[in-house]
Amino acid sequence: MRIVAFLISTVITGTLIFALNKRWGTVPALGRFLSPQCGFWQAGEASGEALDEDFQFAELKGKVSVYLDERLVPHVFADKDDDAYFVQGFLHAKYRLWQMDFQTRYAAGRLSEVLSDPRLVNVDRLQRRMGMVYAAEIMVKEMEKDPTTKAMLDAYTAGVNRYIQTVTEASLPFEFKLLGYKPEPWSNLKIALFIKLMSADLAGLSYAKDLQFTNMKSVFSLQDMDLLFPQISDSSKPIIPAGTAFAPPAVQPVPPANLDSLYYGNDTTVNPVQVPKPVDIKGSNNWAVSGSKTASGSPILCNDPHLRLSLPSIWYEMQIHTPTMNAYGATFPSIPGVVIGFNDNVAFGFTNAGRDVIDYYRIRFRDESRREYWYNGQWKACQMRVEEIKKRDGSTVTDTIAYTVFGPVLYDKTFTNGDSTITTALAMRWTAHDPSNEALTWYKLDRAKDYADYEEAIKFFSAPGQNMLFASKSGDIAIRQQGRFPLRWKGQGVYVMPGEDSTFNWQGWIPQEENPHVLNPAQGFLQSANQRPVDSTYPYFIPGDYFTPRGVSAYNHLDTMQRVTPQDMMKLQYDVYSSMAADAVPFLLKHVEENYLNSDELRYIRDLKNWDFRVTTTTRGATIYQAWFDSLEKVIWSDEFAQVKKTVAYPVEQTFFEILARDSAFHFIDNINTPQVETLNQQVTTAFKMAAEALAKEEAQNGLVWWKHKGSMIQHLLRDAVPALGRLNVEAPGWGNVLNAFGKTSGPSWRMIVHLTPETEAYGIYPAGQSGNPGSKFYDNFIDDWVAGKYYRLWVMKESEAADKRIIGKLTFTKA
């Protein structure tokens, strides 16, 4: 009996050992994951844990001292620039290694290697079809041509890899243990991949409407398309002050002679394409006020880039001091330098330009092999790139991508992104595929002393297009919309173009010196919030996905403000007044027929009449307005737009109301599915009654409180897979069309205010924490203050202040 019992216990023990050390689907290997020695328990950090450490590395040329302040912000003091970038890479990896690994895997189309979700194969294929690695490879070659950039990248990469070499199984970041894999070595290619990831996020598929517009062109007239999607809004406040004189264009593109038949006709050879809809369009605000409008007489620069909010945050705050620079601000874990911030002389910030820098070309392959395509009267060989997507289960999916003179073929019969009806082959022309060295821009901005240095720095920036704001202690304020923008004839790139010859190719680039820009405007301030940069007198065609309301709000406030202080700027960044609602609600109330409303519906009308147009946390007015607008969109557009096969683009909110205000007999108002002709009043009333029905149900659940209606969240990068590691249902004000643009998943990712007084006065905050470790008290400790509109004073430390009580740890790096 003892032998039987022994055999049974042996089998059970063996089974448990096998089971606990094997990953089962999405469940990690529980033996290692639960192990007290090396499992997830190691992520916990003891309160008051000593943060002092000494390191000796052969890669260093001198000494580096890093002082960690009470918010875990590192203040890096290095004798050599290369050592500073080495230590920056080390610190990024120490606090954000999994984030860096995950984001660059996503960029490269490699998520299937570490996650088991079968849907990710299409995600990975899309990234590869967009040519993300291809673009990054081109970028690395370009960056490494420049000795300064190469030295910076090599030092940063060496620092990341040195930290990776110190990681033990016990000290692996939590997510590696959860997913059951280990980090791989860092490289300069991964730096480029991250830059391309940001380019795709800020100017990628969401901003190029060619495919949606081509779908719609088969139903709507060109006149309707121009009306629904105008280049200039009636109420826009352009970034470059209206009335600015522009020089005659140095070059002008020539449209094709056969333009109408090949481009504007109803092209039935282009298959409608189903395009994924973006969850939250990324935006941003920035503005600068000259000394003539401030209480101190010194300029103030403000920036709050709106990105998808996540834990860990996309940003990591730090100061870097060397003999050539003293830069402070927000950095990207994955690339060297300070990205948005200031130094001892200047401050700089960015907002997204929203310019369309992707065009699509219809490709005619010779046969099913896709190895040749018709171009300029002959069959031209494609460059075939074989992509192997390794899956978590050990299998491999192979995708062969054809590259043309335009770029990679994104969609064809072999890749439809889930849309089995696609038969048209579409190649993607994207500025991010061209050689560029954006890293050199940040290197030079971190050391800039004046406007001339700023101009020199930003000329290296090609993609994504950005509104680059500048202010200096010498009193200058300036902004330039910077990027490498195609020279297009009017209308080029709005729809899918023929790709059978060079007729529709881009004809060059808008000259750098003619990109929209201004220095020290007479109005005493500058602002950008993703709106069109210029008025109608600008001589170039610049299609894009522009946004109006926030720019209107910023302009209206800044125009009237005097004796401005940093505290005024804090209030303005947190402002929730909706200029859009202030225009739209009176219009809607004018056209609703109240005699057709019941008592409950009239109660909602009274709420709207009493609303002050501020999108606060507890307001009911914002909820009612948004529900009414959503219903009106359906009532006005759904009948005509239903005729379009596949994805469409709706006119933006501002355009929608401007059209209705100009023309109450606008033909889209009528419901084409009914025999009678509906009026604007009837449709506005119908939409309100639809909204009221939904509002009544919602009111019973949450009282129509705005923050509950919008459902804002700050998710972990793994999103729904680990909801407990994020912040769900964040009780916060704001919306995408107000200055405090906290929507559902996107919002102000780094609020920064820099007062360029002789001793710099700066403030900032972002909604997360410095550490990427969920077990750390520094993981999400900024969020509550960020929601409340608070700021932290940004301490530009001097090394002589090493004994300051704000210092909670010191890391010393010396040469081995």
Side-chain angles (χ1 to χ4, degrees), residues 719-761:
R719 299 185 186 171
D720 294 338
V722 282
L725 298 184
R727 288 279 194 99
L728 306 181
N729 299 314
V730 179
E731 189 173 345
W735 193 234
N737 57 14
V738 303
L739 291 176
N740 182 12
F742 186 19
K744 187 174 180 63
T745 59
S746 296
S749 61
W750 162 248
R751 292 188 181 121
M752 181 186 76
I753 296 168
V754 185
H755 192 190
L756 290 150
T757 45
E759 186 77 17
T760 306
E761 178 187 3

Side-chain angles (χ1 to χ4, degrees), residues 562-773:
Q562 298 294 332
R563 298 193 59 77
V564 175
T565 67
Q567 289 67 37
D568 294 329
M569 297 293 90
M570 293 177 190
K571 292 177 182 177
L572 189 55
Q573 282 189 335
Y574 200 69
D575 185 75
V576 293
Y577 180 80
S578 174
S579 64
M580 180 68 250
D583 291 337
V585 169
F587 173 83
L588 291 171
L589 292 174
K590 175 184 175 182
H591 289 282
V592 69
E593 297 179 341
E594 294 189 22
N595 54 309
Y596 287 99
L597 304 182
N598 62 37
S599 58
D600 286 335
E601 292 164 348
L602 288 170
R603 183 163 52 88
Y604 296 142
I605 290 290
R606 286 195 295 273
D607 284 335
L608 268 186
K609 289 179 177 178
N610 293 326
W611 183 36
D612 60 3
F613 310 123
R614 297 179 67 248
V615 189
T616 60
T617 306
T618 57
T619 183
R620 288 163 51 94
T623 304
I624 297 167
Y625 165 69
Q626 195 64 46
W628 196 355
F629 170 73
D630 293 343
S631 293
L632 186 59
E633 266 200 323
K634 294 176 184 177
V635 167
I636 299 296
W637 303 133
S638 62
D639 50 336
E640 287 92 353
F641 279 54
Q643 301 174 90
V644 183
K645 297 178 180 178
K646 307 297 174 59
T647 312
V648 299
Y650 275 11
V652 297
E653 188 176 12
Q654 189 83 25
T655 299
F656 181 50
F657 283 113
E658 287 176 358
I659 292 172
L660 296 180
R662 281 198 310 267
D663 183 7
S664 61
F666 178 51
H667 67 88
F668 278 83
I669 293 172
D670 174 47
N671 185 345
I672 63 174
N673 297 321
T674 66
Q676 65 271 19
V677 176
E678 284 82 8
T679 66
L680 177 59
N681 283 14
Q682 287 173 326
Q683 298 293 55
V684 168
T685 305
T686 297
F688 185 78
K689 293 181 78 69
M690 286 172 54
E693 184 177 352
L695 288 168
K697 296 176 182 177
E698 185 178 343
E699 186 174 22
Q701 297 176 340
N702 62 29
L704 302 184
V705 170
W706 173 247
W707 75 268
K708 293 181 179 179
H709 176 81
K710 72 169 179 166
S712 294
M713 63 184 77
I714 303 174
Q715 295 176 296
H716 186 270
L717 280 173
L718 289 173
R719 299 185 186 171
D720 294 338
V722 282
L725 298 184
R727 288 279 194 99
L728 306 181
N729 299 314
V730 179
E731 189 173 345
W735 193 234
N737 57 14
V738 303
L739 291 176
N740 182 12
F742 186 19
K744 187 174 180 63
T745 59
S746 296
S749 61
W750 162 248
R751 292 188 181 121
M752 181 186 76
I753 296 168
V754 185
H755 192 190
L756 290 150
T757 45
E759 186 77 17
T760 306
E761 178 187 3
Y763 303 86
I765 191 169
Y766 66 89
Q770 288 286 92
S771 176
N773 176 13

Side-chain angles (χ1 to χ4, degrees), residues 152-365:
M152 174 176 63
L153 301 184
D154 287 348
Y156 180 88
T157 289
V160 176
N161 283 328
R162 176 54 74 179
Y163 179 77
I164 291 174
Q165 292 165 17
T166 71
V167 174
T168 64
E169 188 171 3
S171 62
L172 264 179
F174 169 80
E175 292 89 348
F176 284 115
K177 296 173 182 176
L178 178 68
L179 300 174
Y181 78 102
K182 294 182 179 180
E184 61 186 13
W186 196 255
S187 66
N188 290 351
L189 178 66
K190 288 182 178 287
I191 296 174
L193 274 168
F194 182 83
I195 295 173
K196 296 305 175 186
L197 178 65
M198 293 308 299
S199 184
D201 193 43
L202 293 172
L205 301 183
S206 296
Y207 292 89
K209 296 291 194 299
D210 318 33
L211 302 181
Q212 295 97 317
F213 286 175
T214 301
N215 293 343
M216 297 168 71
K217 183 164 65 84
S218 64
V219 172
F220 301 138
S221 68
L222 293 177
Q223 291 77 15
D224 279 341
M225 292 298 295
D226 289 342
L227 183 63
L228 296 173
F229 304 98
Q231 286 297 308
I232 302 176
S233 165
D234 292 350
S235 57
S236 178
K237 298 292 185 181
I239 295 169
I240 309 306
T244 298
F246 299 106
V251 287
Q252 276 285 34
V254 180
N258 53 353
L259 178 63
D260 289 345
S261 60
L262 285 179
Y263 186 56
Y264 287 122
N266 189 351
D267 191 348
T268 58
T269 65
V270 178
N271 224 171
V273 177
Q274 191 73 37
V275 183
K277 293 183 179 180
V279 178
D280 257 359
I281 291 293
K282 317 303 186 297
S284 296
N285 304 324
N286 65 22
W287 55 78
V289 180
S290 74
S292 64
K293 288 176 72 74
T294 66
S296 67
S298 297
I300 300 176
L301 181 144
C302 307
N303 195 187
D304 57 292
H306 307 155
L307 299 170
R308 185 171 186 121
L309 305 181
S310 65
L311 288 165
S313 169
I314 196 169
W315 300 111
Y316 178 80
E317 184 183 336
M318 67 188 304
Q319 177 187 358
I320 307 174
H321 186 286
T322 75
T324 68
M325 67 170 169
N326 184 24
Y328 192 116
T331 70
F332 281 138
S334 287
I335 66 173
V338 171
V339 173
I340 294 178
F342 56 95
N343 60 34
D344 289 336
N345 300 288
V346 307
F348 46 90
F350 302 79
T351 65
N352 199 23
R355 294 275 285 272
D356 178 8
V357 292
I358 295 177
D359 282 344
Y360 292 94
Y361 291 85
R362 184 181 66 252
I363 300 300
R364 176 158 64 100
F365 287 120

Side-chain angles (χ1 to χ4, degrees), residues 325-575:
M325 67 170 169
N326 184 24
Y328 192 116
T331 70
F332 281 138
S334 287
I335 66 173
V338 171
V339 173
I340 294 178
F342 56 95
N343 60 34
D344 289 336
N345 300 288
V346 307
F348 46 90
F350 302 79
T351 65
N352 199 23
R355 294 275 285 272
D356 178 8
V357 292
I358 295 177
D359 282 344
Y360 292 94
Y361 291 85
R362 184 181 66 252
I363 300 300
R364 176 158 64 100
F365 287 120
R366 185 171 191 169
D367 53 38
E368 296 295 322
S369 73
R370 300 177 297 124
R371 294 187 174 276
E372 293 179 296
Y373 64 104
W374 188 254
Y375 186 73
N376 281 343
Q378 61 183 341
W379 294 109
K380 185 176 179 64
C382 296
Q383 293 181 344
M384 307 302 288
R385 184 173 177 127
V386 179
E387 299 280 359
E388 292 187 347
I389 300 172
K390 299 176 182 178
K391 297 175 66 177
R392 180 76 197 221
D393 62 10
S395 62
T396 300
V397 174
T398 300
D399 189 13
T400 302
I401 303 171
Y403 278 73
T404 69
V405 293
F406 305 107
V409 174
L410 183 65
Y411 299 111
D412 58 35
K413 290 180 180 179
T414 68
F415 179 70
T416 63
N417 201 23
D419 180 7
S420 60
T421 66
I422 290 179
T423 58
T424 304
L426 296 173
M428 177 185 185
R429 178 70 175 100
W430 184 19
T431 57
H433 289 150
D434 296 347
S436 63
N437 184 2
E438 281 76 12
L440 190 55
T441 289
W442 289 307
Y443 178 92
K444 289 178 174 288
L445 280 178
D446 289 346
R447 293 163 173 77
K449 293 181 173 59
D450 52 29
Y451 177 74
D453 288 347
Y454 152 81
E455 285 271 273
E456 169 65 19
I458 66 175
K459 72 181 184 181
F460 296 98
F461 204 97
S462 293
Q466 296 287 287
N467 301 306
M468 298 187 171
L469 186 68
F470 167 87
S472 69
K473 290 188 177 180
S474 60
D476 288 327
I477 62 171
I479 196 167
R480 178 182 287 271
Q481 186 163 96
Q482 177 58 28
R484 201 161 183 241
F485 301 121
L487 185 65
R488 292 181 166 110
W489 35 265
K490 185 178 180 181
Q492 185 177 12
V494 174
Y495 306 108
V496 172
M497 293 186 284
E500 296 186 359
D501 56 38
S502 56
T503 302
F504 286 80
N505 288 12
W506 292 345
Q507 297 180 24
W509 308 96
I510 295 176
Q512 158 77 18
E513 62 273 14
E514 296 184 34
N515 280 340
H517 65 282
V518 66
L519 169 68
N520 297 328
Q523 65 190 21
F525 67 91
L526 291 165
Q527 54 80 30
S528 77
N530 316 120
Q531 72 270 49
R532 180 182 159 91
V534 287
D535 63 21
S536 60
T537 62
Y538 186 65
Y540 295 100
F541 178 64
I542 52 170
D545 197 17
Y546 303 126
F547 194 78
T548 299
R550 281 186 281 102
V552 172
S553 294
Y555 181 93
N556 289 342
H557 281 288
L558 293 168
D559 190 43
T560 59
M561 296 175 78
Q562 298 294 332
R563 298 193 59 77
V564 175
T565 67
Q567 289 67 37
D568 294 329
M569 297 293 90
M570 293 177 190
K571 292 177 182 177
L572 189 55
Q573 282 189 335
Y574 200 69
D575 185 75

Side-chain angles (χ1 to χ4, degrees), residues 779-792:
Y779 175 65
D780 60 357
N781 56 311
F782 300 163
I783 292 179
D784 292 340
D785 285 342
W786 176 87
V787 168
K790 297 179 180 179
Y791 290 75
Y792 303 128

Side-chain angles (χ1 to χ4, degrees), residues 12-174:
I12 292 173
T13 301
T15 301
L16 285 172
I17 291 173
F18 172 78
L20 292 174
N21 285 279
K22 177 178 172 57
R23 182 181 178 90
W24 299 90
T26 59
V27 179
L30 293 177
R32 290 190 180 90
F33 187 67
L34 298 175
S35 166
Q37 288 76 32
C38 62
F40 81 96
W41 311 98
Q42 295 293 323
E45 292 181 2
S47 179
E49 181 179 4
L51 297 175
D52 296 339
E53 293 184 83
D54 293 322
F55 302 96
Q56 291 186 318
F57 297 130
E59 296 90 341
L60 293 171
K61 300 173 183 176
K63 181 181 177 182
V64 183
S65 297
V66 179
Y67 302 93
L68 299 172
D69 70 22
E70 58 198 350
R71 295 191 292 111
L72 205 66
V73 175
H75 303 262
V76 178
F77 291 84
D79 297 333
K80 307 284 185 181
D81 284 353
D82 288 354
D83 289 349
Y85 292 123
F86 176 93
V87 168
Q88 184 183 25
F90 187 92
L91 292 171
H92 278 169
K94 178 177 174 64
Y95 292 106
R96 301 292 187 83
L97 180 59
W98 176 80
Q99 172 189 1
M100 296 166 67
D101 180 278
F102 184 78
Q103 290 180 152
T104 51
R105 282 181 187 271
Y106 169 58
R110 296 178 55 200
L111 289 186
S112 295
E113 295 178 14
V114 297
L115 298 171
S116 301
D117 189 339
R119 295 172 296 181
L120 292 176
V121 171
N122 256 12
V123 173
D124 288 343
R125 289 186 72 184
L126 182 63
Q127 294 296 98
R128 298 183 190 218
R129 288 269 173 157
M130 287 176 61
M132 294 292 282
V133 176
Y134 165 79
E137 290 169 348
I138 292 172
M139 182 179 210
V140 167
K141 290 179 183 178
E142 184 70 14
M143 292 192 297
E144 291 186 346
K145 287 180 185 177
D146 178 70
T148 298
T149 308
K150 187 177 189 307
M152 174 176 63
L153 301 184
D154 287 348
Y156 180 88
T157 289
V160 176
N161 283 328
R162 176 54 74 179
Y163 179 77
I164 291 174
Q165 292 165 17
T166 71
V167 174
T168 64
E169 188 171 3
S171 62
L172 264 179
F174 169 80

